[in-house]
Amino acid sequence: MVLKKKFLGEMLIEAGAITSEQRDKAMQEQKRLGKRLGEALVGLGFITEEVMAKALSSQMGLPFKELRFASIASGVVDMVPEALARKHKVFPLEIKDGRLILAMADPLDIFAIDEIKRIVKMPVDAVVITESELLKALDKHYRGEMEEVIKAADVYSPEKEKIIATAEAMTEDTPIVKLVNTVLTQAVKDRASDVHIEPYAESLRVRFRIDGKLHDIMSPPKHLHAGMISRVKILSGMDIAEKRIPQDGRFPINIEGRQFDIRSSTLPTLHGEKIVMRLLEKTAGLPQLRLSELGFSEPLLSSYENLITKPYGFILSTGPTGSGKTTTMYSSLRNISAAEKNIITVEDPIEYNLPDINQVQVNPKAGLTFASGLRSILRQDPDIIMIGEIRDVETASIATHAALTGHLVLSTLHTNEAVGAIARLIDMGVEPFLITSSLIGVLGQRLIVRVCPYCKESYTGEEDILKRIGIKGKILLHRGKGCSECRFTGYLGREGLFELLVITEGIKRLIVEKAPASEIKTQAIKEGFRTMREEGLLKVVEGITTLEEVMRVTQETE
């Protein structure tokens, strides 16, 4: 007896994934647009890509694969040219028993299988994956476009460096221009925050900062250095002839439909100019983040929101460079922004344009500093003021007086922990009585990396290590094994780690007495203050990050 093969629509109805009405509507859409039924169902939002892929695998009798858990065999990717892989939406995984295992978004495409067979000269077995996962794999594992661009740019010889370095040579068709554009495009795909172009004696290195750590991306020929630096200088409005002093600039760019503001900086080094570009997304960047998305624990979030909704007072955000202070400040302003409030900021530089907020760019050459800008702001009838950074006693004094006269003032300060901000203000020359009268809270913060959700595994923590940090008994911890999604680091994405010092009467008394930071911290702990390390250990227990990461970022605070 021959078993009749079930149609995809029937299988999905039997599984309860769709209704017969949804199938009929999808079939109409299928005929109208010339799509497959599965594509029409996904397009209409009736099922997810994963549901469709699993149904296809069941219908075809093929395995369903999740690439984030798959190990990609070395050298196999090179067997199928990138253009062909993108054309047919396929991705080579491994060779097993003399057969190429090919991941496909559409296993019904027999023409694709036949063409791949002809290219690789071996039998092919298909496995089913979702289209979005396949496209991610193509972007991650095929660097062909970048390599081709480097080869095209490599036609330049050292003798032609002077030609490369002229603005006239920088048309959109110049290979150097394409190389710089390709580097920036890849940086966006890799979620990089910064791009480093670094010259050395015999080489040139391009690195991306991803989740706070630098990764080597490529090494173009050394003689392309002058062209790449000149291209970025031209875009940034810098002087391309000046190579002896550092320069700063910025330029807007559209990458794959997303608007970015690139902040660039050059630095003369022994082997030539190094350039760093910071990628700031305008359309969906920091201003869109809510406080609840930054990593606050629930008690901390409520306490901090209570502080920033007060009518007046001085609130500081502390931490080293790159600890996320700007993110917190912008998110705080977004949280309290309202039509009836006049909010003004003084920043250096303005990283993002915030709607309904008056932002002032510091310009020391024109005499506009944090202190002078703050004085002018106070004549503009503000309700809330944000100062990018407290750098000197003048700015600190004006800020504290502004808080005393009925304004809510937010700013940042470079200290290792929240308690250290008080000693820093006193060292700068701010009188203790001004601090106790104006300061209402100090937020200390760091950024920690999260365990990769795609390769996350649990294990039992070693008792000796747990005991040393105050955890008794055995507990289940989590870590990432390493996969293609996280570049085999075990970590993917970052979030904030916070501690909040609320200025109570007990702490005010110690400030007036100029008590050391250790005494203030002891008093704060008695009143319920939780240190960053304690907050971090809670994240470890919750499986958000690892014990090693928390110990790394909090070692200076303990």
Side-chain angles (χ1 to χ4, degrees):
M1 185 175 88
V2 179
L3 291 173
K4 186 181 177 182
K5 189 176 180 180
K6 286 188 178 180
F7 291 109
L8 180 66
E10 291 175 356
M11 291 176 64
L12 289 168
I13 291 171
E14 286 180 8
I18 61 170
T19 63
S20 55
E21 290 79 10
Q22 287 175 327
R23 179 201 56 190
D24 295 339
K25 188 173 181 181
M27 288 177 74
Q28 291 174 5
E29 187 78 358
Q30 174 191 9
K31 289 175 184 176
R32 187 174 70 84
L33 298 177
K35 292 182 176 181
R36 295 192 185 276
L37 179 62
E39 289 177 309
L41 286 165
V42 171
L44 290 167
F46 295 154
I47 57 172
T48 64
E49 273 190 294
E50 188 173 341
V51 168
M52 185 195 65
K54 286 180 177 177
L56 270 175
S57 73
S58 179
Q59 183 193 33
M60 302 288 295
L62 298 173
F64 172 77
K65 196 82 172 176
E66 291 186 82
L67 282 193
R68 56 180 178 264
F69 298 123
S71 55
I72 313 301
S74 177
V76 174
V77 173
D78 297 331
M79 294 178 66
V80 179
E82 181 181 7
L84 195 62
R86 291 189 183 276
K87 173 187 172 185
H88 292 304
K89 293 183 180 175
V90 300
F91 185 78
L93 290 176
E94 60 177 339
I95 296 171
K96 194 173 182 180
D97 299 326
R99 306 174 73 88
L100 176 65
I101 308 301
L102 192 68
M104 302 183 70
D106 182 8
L108 297 169
D109 190 350
I110 57 173
F111 298 104
I113 294 173
D114 288 340
E115 190 168 359
I116 301 297
K117 275 183 186 175
R118 192 168 64 252
I119 294 292
V120 300
K121 295 181 172 58
M122 68 170 62
V124 171
D125 287 337
V127 297
V128 185
I129 63 168
T130 63
E131 185 172 338
S132 60
E133 206 172 10
L134 181 134
L135 294 175
K136 276 186 189 177
L138 291 174
D139 287 339
K140 270 189 180 174
H141 296 278
Y142 279 105
R143 299 277 178 161
E145 181 186 355
M146 189 176 285
E147 289 169 5
E148 289 301 317
V149 172
I150 292 172
K151 285 178 185 176
D154 199 19
V155 300
Y156 290 105
S157 62
E159 291 75 27
K160 293 185 180 179
E161 282 187 358
K162 290 182 181 178
I163 298 174
I164 300 169
T166 62
E168 290 77 17
M170 292 299 169
T171 64
E172 290 304 314
D173 293 328
T174 306
I176 288 290
V177 172
K178 290 181 179 177
L179 176 57
V180 171
N181 290 346
T182 303
V183 167
L184 291 172
T185 301
Q186 191 61 50
V188 171
K189 288 178 180 177
D190 289 352
R191 302 179 300 105
S193 61
D194 300 84
V195 175
H196 292 238
I197 300 175
E198 304 166 319
Y200 292 94
E202 303 294 333
S203 63
L204 180 63
R205 180 166 66 167
V206 176
R207 295 194 290 173
F208 292 167
R209 187 175 294 280
I210 304 169
D211 292 337
K213 295 180 181 178
L214 284 168
H215 298 264
D216 285 322
I217 299 301
M218 65 177 187
S219 298
K222 176 67 184 290
H223 64 262
L224 298 181
H225 172 244
M228 293 181 75
I229 297 296
S230 295
R231 172 58 180 169
V232 177
K233 282 185 171 182
I234 290 165
L235 288 171
S236 307
M238 300 181 195
D239 182 355
I240 63 170
E242 182 56 76
K243 301 180 181 180
R244 299 165 298 173
I245 59 172
Q247 296 186 68
D248 295 300
R250 63 196 306 164
F251 61 92
I253 191 170
N254 185 305
I255 301 174
E256 297 189 336
R258 296 159 65 185
Q259 290 292 333
F260 287 84
D261 192 26
I262 310 294
R263 203 171 75 203
S264 51
S265 171
T266 66
L267 181 71
T269 69
L270 178 63
H271 301 294
E273 286 181 288
K274 171 183 175 174
I275 200 157
V276 174
M277 291 176 281
R278 171 153 291 184
L279 282 69
L280 304 168
E281 188 170 2
K282 290 181 178 180
T283 50
L286 292 173
Q288 304 302 318
L289 284 178
R290 298 182 183 277
L291 286 172
S292 57
E293 298 169 354
L294 299 185
F296 282 95
S297 62
E298 185 46 47
L300 266 185
L301 179 60
S302 300
S303 298
Y304 184 66
E305 286 180 329
N306 181 53
L307 284 180
I308 62 174
T309 52
K310 287 186 180 296
Y312 58 86
F314 189 20
I315 301 171
L316 279 171
S317 179
T318 68
T321 301
S323 59
K325 297 187 298 295
T326 301
T327 308
T328 304
M329 289 292 101
Y330 279 173
S331 300
S332 300
L333 291 180
R334 187 178 186 274
N335 193 74
I336 57 182
S337 178
E340 68 271 12
K341 293 185 185 297
N342 178 21
I343 304 176
I344 308 179
T345 73
V346 188
E347 304 173 60
D348 184 26
I350 295 173
E351 294 195 356
Y352 290 95
N353 297 325
L354 301 178
D356 305 320
I357 291 173
N358 304 285
Q359 294 173 273
V360 178
Q361 170 68 55
V362 166
N363 187 352
K365 290 180 181 177
L368 180 56
T369 62
F370 280 116
S372 63
L374 188 49
R375 279 199 199 91
S376 300
I377 283 175
L378 292 173
R379 295 192 288 270
Q380 290 286 316
D381 185 31
D383 295 296
I384 299 166
I385 301 167
M386 188 195 92
I387 309 162
E389 185 183 342
I390 300 292
R391 293 180 180 173
D392 52 56
V393 65
E394 188 181 8
T395 308
S397 296
I398 300 170
T400 53
H401 280 99
L404 284 171
T405 54
H407 305 93
L408 183 67
V409 181
L410 283 71
S411 190
T412 68
L413 193 64
H414 287 279
T415 61
N416 286 331
E417 56 181 338
V419 175
I422 295 165
R424 179 81 180 104
L425 288 174
I426 293 173
D427 289 343
M428 290 173 77
V430 182
E431 292 293 339
F433 75 88
L434 279 177
I435 297 173
T436 57
S437 303
S438 59
L439 192 65
I440 60 174
V442 184
L443 186 72
Q445 64 183 89
R446 292 287 191 282
L447 286 176
I448 55 168
V449 284
R450 294 192 294 256
V451 174
C452 175
Y454 301 111
C455 59
K456 190 175 185 177
E457 65 173 4
S458 58
Y459 70 101
T460 304
E462 293 180 25
E463 259 186 274
D464 291 345
I465 295 174
L466 295 174
K467 191 176 180 181
R468 282 204 297 271
I469 58 172
I471 298 176
K472 295 179 180 178
K474 294 182 179 180
I475 61 168
L476 205 61
L477 303 178
H478 297 83
R479 63 190 171 199
K481 290 185 290 186
C483 64
S484 57
E485 289 287 334
C486 61
R487 291 175 163 268
F488 299 95
T489 62
Y491 298 104
L492 185 66
R494 292 190 291 175
E495 70 173 53
L497 180 61
F498 302 93
E499 62 181 16
L500 180 63
L501 177 69
V502 178
I503 309 300
T504 62
E505 290 303 320
I507 291 171
K508 284 181 181 180
R509 177 176 49 79
L510 292 173
I511 294 172
V512 171
E513 294 171 0
K514 293 188 178 180
S518 58
E519 279 188 37
I520 296 174
K521 191 171 186 177
T522 301
Q523 177 64 27
I525 290 171
K526 286 179 184 176
E527 297 175 2
F529 173 75
R530 279 209 306 241
T531 66
M532 266 188 278
R533 178 162 291 182
E534 288 172 326
E535 288 285 327
L537 292 177
L538 289 176
K539 291 182 184 289
V540 170
V541 173
E542 291 169 11
I544 295 170
T545 190
T546 63
L547 189 59
E548 293 78 12
E549 175 67 5
V550 169
M551 300 302 285
R552 180 185 70 83
V553 301
T554 62
Q555 59 185 343
E556 293 177 356
T557 67
E558 295 296 319

